[in-house]
Amino acid sequence: MNGWLSAERAVGDLRRYFGIGLSPDVLPFTGSRFEHLAGGGDRLEVADRITAEDLVAVQTLSVTVPASVALDILEGPLGVRLSGLLHAIPRDIDMVDADADILADGSPADQAWHLLRDQPDVGWVIAGKLLARKRPRLLPVYDRVVRCAVGRPQSFWLALHAALREDDGAVHRQLLALRRIAGVPETVSELRVCDVVVWMGHRAEGHVCPR
């Protein structure tokens, strides 16, 4: 992890991804709107339910929730079950400050991830991105490119949680510094800073990541 965050290209990659300091004719990556579309997925009035805006937001990260699942989320019992679980997941805490049991097997966050993952044609990537939209400070984006870059720990959430806290929070401070230097808004969590730096760096190296 430290290697990616210390790379010379990290600040430039963040600026390019979020369109900071670019000329008006250079568009940022669509994922730069993931956090901010419609005011964000964790704003108080919608924090405990997945909305149509959330379903659009994950499309900015190049995934699509199948229509049948989307309808069940918006109008059916799946949405009711997910809302109950989201209500039990803190919305106002950063991963670095959270107790590990909030992220552990059997927690409401873990139950929500498994519930989403097991829906037809959803899988672990889409499940994780939906939850990252709802709890951007607590739950990270984790896709095949990031997995290819950092490996496959038994629990990515817990592995990242440990990495953020070790050495008196050195990695956490490094992410905050990268965000500040790049001029990325503070409304973008340090988890997303980490995701973007690793994703951009690994992608630029031309790796072919297995599905």
Side-chain angles (χ1 to χ4, degrees):
M1 183 75 71
N2 287 335
W4 297 107
L5 302 184
S6 302
E8 292 184 5
R9 61 175 299 131
V11 169
D13 280 346
L14 283 169
R15 288 174 174 161
R16 187 157 64 94
Y17 187 92
F18 288 102
I20 296 168
L22 301 181
S23 61
D25 59 331
V26 178
L27 296 176
F29 285 73
T30 58
S32 65
R33 296 294 300 148
F34 175 67
E35 289 81 14
H36 300 131
L37 183 69
D42 62 339
R43 67 191 192 277
L44 188 59
E45 62 269 27
V46 298
D48 294 341
R49 59 185 176 88
I50 295 176
T51 68
E53 289 87 355
D54 298 324
L55 299 175
V56 174
V58 298
Q59 292 186 37
T60 70
L61 300 183
S62 303
V63 298
T64 300
V65 178
S68 60
V69 179
L71 289 172
D72 199 1
I73 288 173
L74 296 176
E75 300 178 343
L78 178 59
V80 175
R81 292 176 66 189
L82 287 168
S83 290
L85 292 167
L86 285 169
H87 184 72
I89 304 171
R91 60 171 288 275
D92 57 354
I93 190 171
D94 296 319
M95 176 183 268
V96 68
D97 298 319
D99 292 334
D101 59 5
I102 293 176
L103 307 165
D105 291 350
S107 66
D110 180 66
Q111 292 179 53
W113 182 85
H114 278 90
L115 179 58
L116 283 166
R117 184 204 62 179
D118 293 343
Q119 300 306 308
D121 299 317
V122 174
W124 62 275
V125 173
I126 296 176
K129 289 179 177 181
L130 267 172
L131 290 178
R133 163 74 179 179
K134 301 310 298 179
R135 296 294 184 270
R137 296 169 55 186
L138 179 66
L139 303 176
V141 172
Y142 181 51
D143 64 8
R144 291 178 176 84
V145 175
V146 175
R147 184 180 68 178
C148 187
V150 305
R152 304 186 184 200
Q154 183 174 356
S155 168
F156 179 70
W157 291 355
L158 291 175
L160 182 56
H161 178 261
L164 291 172
R165 292 165 69 100
E166 67 185 9
D167 296 329
D168 197 28
V171 169
H172 179 247
R173 293 195 303 273
Q174 190 173 13
L175 290 169
L176 295 178
L178 284 171
R179 184 174 68 184
R180 175 179 52 79
I181 294 167
V184 175
E186 292 186 3
T187 47
V188 175
S189 73
E190 59 267 30
L191 297 184
R192 271 290 278 157
V193 171
C194 183
D195 168 54
V196 170
V197 168
V198 173
W199 188 84
M200 291 284 282
H202 196 64
R203 180 174 172 272
E205 292 182 358
H207 294 278
V208 178
C209 297
R211 298 186 64 82

